Amino acid sequence: MSAPEEEPNVTGPAASQAVPEPPANNLYVLVKAVTNLPSAFTSFGVDAKGVVTSNPADHVFTYALQCEIPAKKQETASVSNEDAPTPREGEEAPEQADPNKPQTVYTFANGKFHCLDEDDVTLMKHAQQYFETNTKAEVPEAETTQKEPAGQTPSTVGPAGRSSAGAPGAAGSQRKPSTAPSRSQASGKTSPVEEEEPQDECDQLLNELCVNFLWAGMTAKEKKAAREREALEAASGAKAGAKDKGKKKTPKELQEEEERRKKEEEEKSQAGEGETEELIPPGQPASMCKLDVTQDGVLQLGELADNKMPLIFRFRRCLRPGVPAEWADVNEQRYRAEVRLDLDPFLEPGRTFHEYTVLLEPEFTDPSPEMTSPAGKGKQKPAKPKKGKTDLPPTLAVEEENVGPHPYVEAGTQIHLCLQFAKPMVYLPEHRPRPEFKPTDIIPRRIKPVRKPMDCVKAYSAELKSIVLALVEEWREQGGTTEGDQEKVKENFLTALQSKGLAASYKEKLKHCIIKIVKEKFSVKSDESQNTMMVFYNELYVYLLDLMHRTINDMFSRGAVALEPFEAEENKPESKWKRLAEEAEENGDFGTAAKYHQERLVHESEEPGVDLQTPWYEYGEFLVRARDPAKAEQSFKEAIAIDINNLPSLIAYGLLLLSKKLYAEAEVFLQAAVDVDVEAVLPWSCLGLFMEVAGEVEQDPYRQKERQKEAAYSYNQAKRLLHLKDPDSPGIYQYLAEFLLGLCFEQLADHCLTQEVNRVGKATISCMLLLGQLYYQQEHWEKAVVTLKQVLAQQKDNVKACLLLGDVYRKQKRIEEAADMYDKAIELQGEDVPGKVYVRLGRVQLELGRYDDARDNYLWGAKVWPCGLTWLGVGIAYYRLDDFAHAEQALNESNILDNLNPITWAYLCLRCLKAERPEEADFAFNQALKQNLRDPDLITEIGSEQMALGRVQLAVAAFRRSLKEEDRSSTHLLLANTLTQMRLFEEARAEYATVLALTESPNEQEEAMNQIKTIEQILA
């Protein structure tokens, strides 16, 4: 048996190479020029033969830039020598990365761009795109940069064919792509690398803007020779390409094409021949670099912008390619500088481009490790000059003293560059990140049912009513009166209708209704005889006139009230149930309020042309306050299904999901709310709250920072819109907390208030007031009292604090203090007191027995808020004051406005019993029981009144009904006394025994014992 083959041991960089992280953004750096360079940059030169000259045109210096993005701090992991990758032959072991040092992204020099962090880096496609400068130098067409194999140090060949490899301390010592055409280009074939990575729009942009600085260092003759050589290579490449593609050209055509190219190049060269002898100043040609910014880099750039910190570029002087290899610049460190670019302009939403002109800030410290060689070998020491045919110039050999102003400062050296982001750091609202799903993916649209069209007669009557109301309004505007010559008044009125065009418009409105009536109610053909048509016209006229009379008589049958041009909002059928629901909720009867909301949905669904999204939303809003989130969720979903752009429903449903910690679903609806109205404050505020809350529970650090960034952006949008509408508005957290408390999302409101206190550093009065409301809704009565008292201690005339403290006292059964707080609030408020405040004050005054004050406050409330609840309070106050006539009037008014209130029917029953109208009393009591009367005190009082009239059987029934609601000893005692009068002694003795078991009152105990003894004697 043969031994199993061992798997090969793969070591080296290829084994440890990690998959590169895809860029999250791209940063394009365009260096336009460096101006006002010190004289030392052009103090000497070197000609084509390598001889040092004093000609400034042969200057030897260029510059390099390096961009640094602060890196994320990482935990350093210890690696053993065995695990360390084996360095390649001729390479030194790489240094351990310092997690706290800035991250070197790219360095570019002489128009060449290369990354220093990775060994096997894919060099960017680069083109030698030359363009005119102030010297009007002509440039040839772009050449294609070829990528070198990993691990090799490619040489850079300029248009003149001079090698730049191995220049110490300059860009020639860095990894650079070759600028000479490759063999594949010369033959017209495409290299495998180019096939794998086709050019995109970004690469095309680079090919248009990137420039090789070597072109600036050539003489006019060298440029001319380079143009001729490039023309020949291009012609041969085109010939080979045409052959490969099967498109053959004749030798004559190729020769003509080549001559044409030469002629064009010669014309361009001759046009600028008089000025090309002067060299282009250093730094004039533009150079562009594309930086791939990772997700961490994007966050770091955002932090720099938010913290008002600059993005730093390192600037250094270096020797251009083509100088002798043994030369080195001993003053290289002295001419290092920083370029600080403010990123604040990129905080503007949608901003991706900004142009800078900044001064170079010299570095006077030791060189940083980032400015060393790309192999990471440490600092580059100046090489000692070797003996050769050229001597080291004094500028390179003599180290300048650090005395006086720095050359950059003295010359005022400036750099002109532009930054362009592929994606904005702060996106526009319409370009913000979106979730994967949309609301329609979760809640399908509800197809609206096809409603039956209105009957033609009803449509005609409705149109007539609207016209009559419009005529009445027009009559009033013209000061119509019934005095004077009525014929003259009528004539003037008709003339006014004709002159304004109202008569014609009214005819057009009625025309469509009459056509429907003719089609549905009459059978007539167009080819009928004239007599038949005359009969038809007469019948139609009589029919329409009769309909008009009936409609107008019905409108004016109720007197002057029917002359109102518009129906009162509270009298509309769709508003009746909403008003009743509000009254029931104010009375604390959430069950009845829910029933009224449901009735509203049923009735409005039958009305033609009524959209149900608003009733469903308001029902869901009520259910949230009633602590029924499951039904509230269904209500919001119904509203969204009917109208996918219903903004209140989208916000409320999103917040409900957020309170249930369903973050993915909540984001869908809150993002959709912003899309519906991008200029509204509330959607942006709620979206910012979601991003903030979701970011706190996010496990991924990058996603957490993204959430925080998006939260800040949403809040900034909300603040901008809020201050535009109200410059004196409070903070966005306070604005949001007030809205959330209105919807009873206490947990989210608590979060907002905490953030507001942390932002301001203390709890302001308005913030403390919201905290008091939060404690009230959470039923933390003592905390609410303490907080609201602190508010009143600082601001005694705070109406909201008085009202809220009165509500807290009422919940604590501290009725006297509640009444005082309500009285104080009304006194401070003046005339603009809400009707609900009068209702609450009247209620506590009834409990205190202050019936006169309760009557007055309820009457004020009826003026502000005329509803069944206020008139019921007026009737109860009059009844307790024994003013039965006024009590009956008020109770009847309350019953008209709300005939479903059992309390109103119960007090009407009491009034009828007082007036000895037993039949009416029985009817009212039956209606009260039908509407689910649950007040044991009121039922017991009705039983006592029945007993006073000698209606003992009805009294017993009332007492037993009261005991079902609440088991009280006093009610058992009344029932026992009634049974005794009915001579039902056994039942009466059992009720007295129950009284003895329940009561703690000595009087009731004594009365029950005496009655038991009496019954026993009777039975004995």
Side-chain angles (χ1 to χ4, degrees):
M1 295 177 63
S2 60
E5 297 182 0
E6 296 182 358
E7 296 183 359
N9 184 14
V10 181
T11 59
S16 60
Q17 187 175 5
V19 178
E21 181 182 0
N25 202 347
N26 296 114
L27 173 61
Y28 299 91
V29 183
L30 174 62
V31 182
K32 300 178 68 177
V34 180
T35 58
N36 301 333
L37 288 170
S39 59
F41 270 68
T42 57
S43 60
F44 77 101
V46 60
D47 59 12
K49 297 180 180 181
V51 179
V52 177
T53 67
S54 59
N55 185 7
D58 296 329
H59 70 91
V60 297
F61 292 117
T62 182
Y63 63 83
L65 279 179
Q66 182 180 16
C67 175
E68 295 181 354
I69 299 178
K72 175 184 175 182
K73 293 185 178 181
Q74 300 176 353
E75 297 181 359
T76 57
S78 60
V79 182
S80 62
N81 294 332
E82 297 178 357
D83 298 332
T86 305
R88 299 176 181 177
E89 184 178 356
E91 295 183 356
E92 296 183 7
E95 296 179 353
Q96 291 291 336
D98 183 3
N100 297 322
K101 76 173 185 179
Q103 173 192 8
T104 302
V105 181
Y106 280 99
T107 298
F108 46 99
N110 297 338
K112 300 298 182 293
F113 316 116
H114 38 271
C115 177
L116 297 180
D117 292 336
E118 296 182 10
D119 183 37
D120 297 328
V121 63
T122 302
L123 297 176
M124 295 175 55
K125 291 185 178 180
H126 170 65
Q128 298 181 18
Q129 174 68 39
Y130 312 109
F131 64 98
E132 288 187 357
T133 58
N134 295 332
T135 57
K136 299 182 181 180
E138 299 295 333
V139 295
E141 295 182 357
E143 296 177 346
T144 305
T145 298
Q146 294 299 312
K147 300 181 180 180
E148 293 291 339
Q152 300 181 10
T153 304
S155 61
T156 303
V157 181
R162 294 183 296 181
S163 175
S164 60
S173 64
Q174 309 287 343
R175 293 170 47 102
K176 295 187 291 292
S178 173
T179 58
S182 64
R183 296 181 180 177
S184 61
Q185 288 176 309
S187 62
K189 297 180 180 179
T190 306
S191 65
V193 177
E194 292 177 339
E195 291 178 355
E196 293 176 1
E197 297 185 5
Q199 285 191 347
D200 56 6
E201 294 182 1
C202 297
D203 294 329
Q204 294 175 7
L205 179 63
L206 289 173
N207 292 338
E208 294 174 1
L209 296 179
C210 293
V211 175
N212 186 354
F213 283 4
L214 293 179
W215 183 261
M218 292 164 44
T219 62
K221 293 182 179 179
E222 291 174 342
K223 293 179 182 179
K224 184 176 180 180
R227 293 191 189 102
E228 293 177 354
R229 184 175 62 256
E230 290 169 1
L232 290 173
E233 292 175 353
S236 62
K239 182 178 179 180
K243 183 178 179 181
D244 292 340
K245 295 181 180 179
K247 297 180 179 179
K248 297 181 180 180
K249 291 186 178 181
T250 63
K252 185 177 180 180
E253 291 176 348
L254 294 174
Q255 185 178 2
E256 290 177 355
E257 185 177 352
E258 184 177 348
E259 290 177 356
R260 184 171 59 255
R261 285 179 177 272
K262 287 183 179 181
K263 185 177 180 180
E264 292 176 356
E265 295 295 335
E266 288 177 0
E267 290 177 355
K268 291 181 180 179
S269 177
Q270 292 175 2
E273 188 173 356
E275 300 180 3
T276 53
E277 292 299 331
E278 289 190 8
L279 194 64
I280 301 175
Q284 286 299 325
S287 179
M288 186 171 181
C289 174
K290 175 184 177 182
L291 278 64
D292 292 334
V293 186
T294 62
Q295 292 180 345
D296 183 64
V298 171
L299 295 177
Q300 298 303 324
L301 288 174
E303 290 183 4
L304 288 178
D306 294 336
N307 298 328
K308 308 296 182 182
M309 297 177 64
L311 175 63
I312 298 177
F313 282 77
R314 305 291 181 183
F315 180 92
R316 63 173 178 166
R317 186 180 75 174
C318 35
L319 296 175
R320 69 173 174 83
V323 301
E326 65 270 13
W327 284 12
D329 186 6
V330 296
N331 297 303
E332 188 266 340
Q333 295 184 15
R334 174 171 171 78
Y335 283 95
R336 291 185 178 184
E338 288 185 353
V339 180
R340 296 177 175 267
L341 304 181
D342 184 17
L343 295 177
D344 189 63
F346 293 100
L347 293 179
E348 179 183 346
R351 182 76 173 269
T352 59
F353 175 82
H354 190 68
E355 187 171 352
Y356 297 88
T357 298
V358 295
L359 294 171
L360 296 184
E361 299 182 14
E363 289 185 0
F364 296 100
T365 58
D366 293 336
S368 61
E370 292 84 359
M371 300 300 295
T372 59
S373 63
K377 300 178 181 179
K379 301 179 182 179
Q380 286 185 328
K381 297 181 180 180
K384 295 181 179 181
K386 299 179 181 179
K387 294 182 180 180
K389 65 178 181 178
T390 56
D391 297 329
L392 190 64
T395 305
L396 299 179
V398 179
E399 185 174 356
E400 298 180 11
E401 295 183 1
N402 210 0
V403 180
H406 193 277
Y408 289 151
V409 178
E410 187 176 9
T413 306
Q414 293 179 330
I415 185 169
H416 308 268
L417 53 80
C418 306
L419 295 186
Q420 172 81 45
F421 283 96
K423 302 175 184 177
M425 293 178 61
V426 181
Y427 43 76
L428 291 171
E430 56 269 19
H431 297 153
R432 67 186 186 280
R434 307 297 179 88
E436 182 180 357
F437 297 100
K438 296 180 180 180
T440 50
D441 298 328
I442 302 175
I443 303 175
R445 292 179 181 269
R446 180 67 52 81
I447 300 176
K448 295 183 179 181
V450 180
R451 299 183 182 276
K452 185 179 179 181
M454 185 182 295
D455 180 69
C456 60
V457 176
K458 291 183 179 180
Y460 178 73
S461 299
E463 202 66 60
L464 276 176
K465 288 181 181 180
S466 65
I467 292 174
V468 170
L469 294 176
L471 289 173
V472 172
E473 183 66 20
E474 183 68 24
W475 173 271
R476 288 175 175 174
E477 289 180 359
Q478 294 185 15
T481 177
T482 57
E483 300 177 358
D485 188 357
Q486 293 300 308
E487 290 296 330
K488 186 67 175 178
V489 172
K490 178 181 177 181
E491 182 180 354
N492 293 337
F493 181 65
L494 293 176
T495 303
L497 292 179
Q498 293 289 346
S499 62
K500 291 183 179 181
L502 296 177
S505 65
Y506 295 154
K507 290 179 182 178
E508 289 296 326
K509 287 184 178 181
L510 292 174
K511 181 188 296 184
H512 301 286
C513 300
I514 294 174
I515 291 175
K516 290 182 179 180
I517 290 176
V518 172
K519 289 181 178 180
E520 296 182 15
K521 301 295 182 180
F522 296 89
S523 58
V524 61
K525 298 180 180 179
S526 58
D527 57 350
E528 297 286 353
S529 63
Q530 186 176 1
N531 294 333
T532 305
M533 294 301 296
M534 291 300 299
V535 173
F536 161 70
Y537 291 145
N538 290 333
E539 292 178 354
L540 178 62
Y541 176 77
V542 172
Y543 183 80
L544 294 176
L545 195 64
D546 182 56
L547 285 178
M548 182 188 69
H549 288 159
R550 281 188 292 172
T551 301
I552 295 177
N553 290 335
D554 180 65
M555 293 179 64
F556 288 85
S557 61
R558 291 170 292 177
V561 177
L563 296 178
E564 292 294 331
F566 299 103
E567 190 176 6
E569 181 69 22
E570 60 271 9
N571 293 331
K572 292 182 179 180
E574 59 268 20
S575 300
K576 171 187 175 183
W577 299 106
K578 178 181 177 181
R579 174 176 52 81
L580 293 178
E582 291 177 355
E583 294 177 25
E585 185 177 357
E586 174 63 26
N587 214 25
D589 192 353
F590 290 97
T592 303
K595 182 180 70 174
Y596 289 153
H597 277 290
Q598 294 165 6
E599 289 288 342
R600 178 190 179 190
L601 289 169
V602 172
H603 283 79
E604 293 195 13
S605 63
E606 299 174 355
E607 293 291 331
V610 177
D611 294 326
L612 293 177
Q613 61 267 25
T614 301
W616 274 113
Y617 165 73
E618 292 177 353
Y619 183 37
E621 196 178 20
F622 159 76
L623 290 171
V624 174
R625 294 193 298 269
R627 313 298 176 180
D628 194 349
K631 291 183 179 179
E633 182 177 352
Q634 293 298 322
S635 299
F636 291 140
K637 290 173 71 174
E638 285 290 335
I640 296 172
I642 295 172
D643 183 8
I644 201 66
N645 294 323
N646 187 261
L647 184 60
S649 300
L650 290 171
I651 294 175
Y653 186 47
L655 292 174
L656 181 61
L657 294 172
L658 179 59
S659 64
K660 298 170 69 175
K661 300 182 180 180
L662 299 175
Y663 301 112
E665 295 86 345
E667 183 179 8
V668 173
F669 293 94
L670 293 177
Q671 291 277 15
V674 175
D675 291 333
V676 171
D677 190 355
V678 76
E679 294 297 326
V681 179
L682 190 57
W684 281 114
S685 305
C686 295
L687 182 60
L689 175 63
F690 163 78
M691 293 297 177
E692 190 173 60
V693 174
E696 292 178 355
V697 299
E698 185 65 53
Q699 300 296 327
D700 184 8
Y702 172 74
R703 288 292 300 159
Q704 187 178 36
K705 288 186 178 181
E706 280 294 311
R707 292 289 194 193
Q708 294 172 358
K709 180 180 177 181
E710 293 172 10
Y713 174 77
S714 300
Y715 282 141
N716 289 334
Q717 291 290 325
K719 291 174 186 176
R720 177 181 62 83
L721 296 170
L722 184 62
H723 290 303
L724 285 176
K725 296 180 179 179
D726 185 9
D728 300 328
S729 59
I732 198 66
Y733 284 114
Q734 183 176 333
Y735 169 83
L736 196 53
E738 188 172 358
F739 169 75
L740 292 170
L741 287 175
L743 281 177
C744 291
F745 290 124
E746 289 86 5
Q747 186 176 1
L748 298 177
D750 191 7
H751 172 86
C752 292
L753 291 174
T754 302
Q755 295 292 335
E756 178 69 13
V757 173
N758 294 336
R759 184 186 68 86
V760 179
K762 64 176 182 179
T764 60
I765 292 179
S766 55
C767 190
M768 292 175 62
L769 187 61
L770 292 175
L771 281 173
Q773 183 178 353
L774 174 65
Y775 294 143
Y776 168 73
Q777 293 182 189
Q778 292 178 337
E779 299 183 358
H780 298 161
W781 312 124
E782 294 300 329
K783 289 183 179 180
V785 170
V786 172
T787 305
L788 293 172
K789 283 185 176 180
Q790 291 177 356
V791 174
L792 292 174
Q794 300 180 41
Q795 202 174 66
K796 296 182 180 180
D797 56 348
N798 193 303
V799 179
K800 292 183 178 179
C802 294
L803 290 175
L804 197 54
L805 189 57
D807 292 338
V808 176
Y809 284 149
R810 183 165 56 90
K811 291 292 184 179
Q812 290 182 308
K813 304 299 181 182
R814 298 162 65 175
I815 307 301
E816 187 73 33
E817 296 172 275
D820 294 340
M821 284 293 106
Y822 289 139
D823 274 327
K824 183 179 179 180
I826 292 175
E827 183 180 354
L828 293 172
Q829 186 83 5
E831 297 180 356
D832 299 329
V833 181
K836 294 181 180 180
V837 179
Y838 287 113
V839 171
R840 295 172 190 176
L841 177 58
R843 186 183 294 117
V844 297
Q845 287 175 339
L846 285 177
E847 295 180 20
L848 292 171
R850 302 174 185 174
Y851 301 123
D852 290 323
D853 296 336
R855 176 198 58 197
D856 296 339
N857 285 301
Y858 271 121
L859 284 172
W860 278 108
K863 293 181 180 179
V864 179
W865 188 31
C867 62
L869 197 59
T870 52
W871 283 112
L872 174 61
V874 173
I876 294 173
Y878 274 123
Y879 182 83
R880 297 305 177 189
L881 291 171
D882 295 335
D883 190 348
F884 301 120
H886 286 97
E888 186 172 359
Q889 292 178 4
L891 291 172
N892 285 331
E893 184 67 25
S894 174
N895 191 258
I896 291 173
L897 294 172
D898 181 10
N899 61 354
L900 301 177
N901 193 331
I903 305 297
T904 304
W905 286 112
Y907 274 98
L908 283 173
C909 175
L910 289 173
R911 166 63 187 126
C912 292
L913 290 175
K914 288 287 186 180
E916 297 184 359
R917 303 199 306 259
E919 293 81 5
E920 297 180 25
D922 293 343
F923 176 79
F925 187 60
N926 289 331
Q927 289 295 323
L929 296 179
K930 184 179 179 180
Q931 300 301 330
N932 196 20
L933 179 63
R934 305 294 297 272
D935 190 344
D937 294 329
L938 202 54
I939 298 175
T940 301
E941 187 175 1
I942 291 175
S944 300
E945 292 297 331
Q946 296 279 17
M947 184 68 185
L949 291 177
R951 310 178 74 188
V952 291
Q953 292 184 351
L954 295 176
V956 169
F959 292 145
R960 294 189 184 279
R961 182 60 181 258
S962 176
L963 289 174
K964 287 183 179 180
E965 300 298 332
E966 186 177 357
D967 195 10
R968 294 181 178 180
S969 59
S970 58
T971 309
H972 281 286
L973 186 59
L974 290 173
L975 177 59
N977 293 335
T978 306
L979 293 173
T980 302
Q981 291 184 12
M982 296 176 65
R983 303 189 67 80
L984 299 174
F985 298 115
E986 293 293 342
E987 297 181 16
R989 183 170 60 182
E991 292 296 332
Y992 285 127
T994 305
V995 172
L996 291 175
L998 294 177
T999 186
E1000 295 180 358
S1001 172
N1003 295 332
E1004 290 184 356
Q1005 290 177 355
E1006 182 179 359
E1007 182 179 357
M1009 292 177 64
N1010 292 334
Q1011 291 293 339
I1012 290 174
K1013 292 179 180 179
T1014 304
I1015 291 174
E1016 289 178 350
Q1017 291 177 359
I1018 294 173
L1019 293 176

